[in-house]
Amino acid sequence: MTPEDLQTALARALMTAPADLVAPGSAAAIDVRPPTRPDLGDWTTPVALRASAEPEQRIALAAHLCTELRTHPEVADAVFAGPGFVNVTLTAAARARVICDIVSADRGADARSGAGQDRTPFRTLVSASDRQPAPGLRAGGRGTDVDPVAVHDLQRGHAAACRELRRAHRAGIPTADIDLATLAQPSETRMLTIMAGLPSALERSRRLGEAEPLLTALLELGAAVEEWLRRCPATPTVDEDITVTHTSRLLALRAVIIVLAAGLRQLGASAPERI
């Protein structure tokens, strides 16, 4: 479940709220972001704080939004906190759906396969990257100051993920019997959340004509991937059996490689498989 999916669900929940709770034009106030602490869930939004008709109605509106969100099968829980924040925790399957979205977007990235008709967030990220970077994001472009050291760090992270993919293939890990709901370790959930937010970061970079939002999100992803590879390798040790978790991590690894390569190309940089 991406931030865009959650924004849509929140907009519908606002429409079902009692009219006296919601200020006019409240749909424009929906902002979804990762929480400051992982124990608060996968996503948080101050929408009830901003959309309530009156300050004293913020809690009532937040409670309504939580009730509506809990009806979605992708949402494990939704709770309100503070003066009108809503914190959302996804199911493991919904959290991991981002992997399938990325792989699917990559398979259809060529315009000849109908990419122009598919406006999913990850298709936008992946499809343009093989041809040209996003407008204004190439190094030296308007408002752009891409740190070459940061780009090199991303390239090293991409190469490390490719190296792990080669190890997994040599170990004979199959590509069937996948259960993405098994990807529930803290380092995995953090990585999946950051990946889900990449299309929004790209959109902000394009709107501002500068690389910083996308570059920051990619660097966060690179750090999360590094921790994930250390704690949750896709390749089992020599005395460890191959399980459905390893096959699922193999698909996650493919998604990581796709988005890191796409992000680098959006910045006008190459994505080497070996460094």
Side-chain angles (χ1 to χ4, degrees):
M1 194 176 200
T2 65
E4 293 78 11
D5 295 329
L6 189 52
Q7 285 172 332
T8 299
L10 285 165
R12 291 173 177 167
L14 285 173
M15 293 175 62
T16 65
D20 62 335
L21 291 183
V22 184
S26 57
I30 299 175
D31 179 26
V32 175
R33 65 190 72 166
T36 55
R37 304 198 318 265
D39 59 294
L40 296 177
D42 294 289
W43 300 107
T44 188
T45 175
V47 61
L49 180 67
R50 298 176 179 176
S52 62
E54 300 292 341
E56 61 270 17
Q57 295 172 325
R58 291 169 179 168
I59 298 302
L61 179 57
H64 168 80
L65 295 176
C66 289
T67 299
E68 291 294 303
L69 289 175
R70 292 190 202 106
T71 66
H72 290 260
E74 300 92 345
V75 175
D77 198 10
V79 298
F80 60 87
F85 285 84
V86 173
N87 298 326
V88 181
T89 300
L90 304 178
T91 65
R95 190 182 296 117
R97 198 192 77 188
V98 65
I99 296 171
C100 297
D101 290 346
I102 291 169
V103 173
S104 176
D106 184 61
R107 287 172 178 165
D110 194 313
R112 290 173 298 179
S113 67
Q117 301 174 2
D118 188 341
R119 301 300 182 184
T120 59
F122 284 104
R123 181 65 59 83
T124 302
L125 174 68
V126 173
S127 63
S129 61
D130 287 334
R131 286 171 281 283
Q132 61 183 13
L137 300 192
R138 182 184 290 277
R142 178 180 64 84
T144 301
D145 184 17
V146 180
D147 182 356
V149 175
V151 170
H152 183 66
D153 286 344
L154 290 174
Q155 290 172 325
R156 286 194 300 105
H158 176 265
C162 290
R163 183 168 59 250
E164 178 65 16
L165 182 65
R166 292 192 295 270
R167 290 182 64 237
H169 285 323
R170 287 196 299 269
I173 297 177
T175 56
D177 299 325
I178 291 171
D179 181 5
L180 295 178
T182 63
L183 304 181
Q185 295 296 321
S187 61
E188 288 172 324
T189 59
R190 176 171 178 264
M191 181 182 72
L192 294 174
T193 298
I194 295 172
M195 284 202 292
L198 282 177
S200 295
L202 174 61
E203 192 278 330
R204 288 195 300 275
S205 280
R206 286 180 160 177
R207 186 176 67 249
L208 298 172
E210 58 185 40
E212 192 276 332
L214 178 60
L215 182 60
T216 297
L218 288 169
L219 289 172
E220 290 177 355
L221 176 60
V225 169
E226 181 179 354
E227 181 181 4
W228 176 63
L229 290 174
R230 184 173 64 252
R231 295 180 180 274
C232 306
T235 308
T237 60
V238 292
D239 57 348
E240 184 181 6
D241 292 334
I242 295 175
T243 67
V244 67
T245 300
H246 294 109
T247 61
S248 301
R249 286 175 180 165
L250 179 60
L251 187 62
L253 192 58
R254 286 184 56 198
V256 163
I257 292 169
I258 289 167
V259 294
L260 285 177
L264 281 163
R265 291 172 184 139
Q266 292 281 6
L267 297 172
S270 63
E273 295 185 2
R274 299 174 186 269
I275 291 182

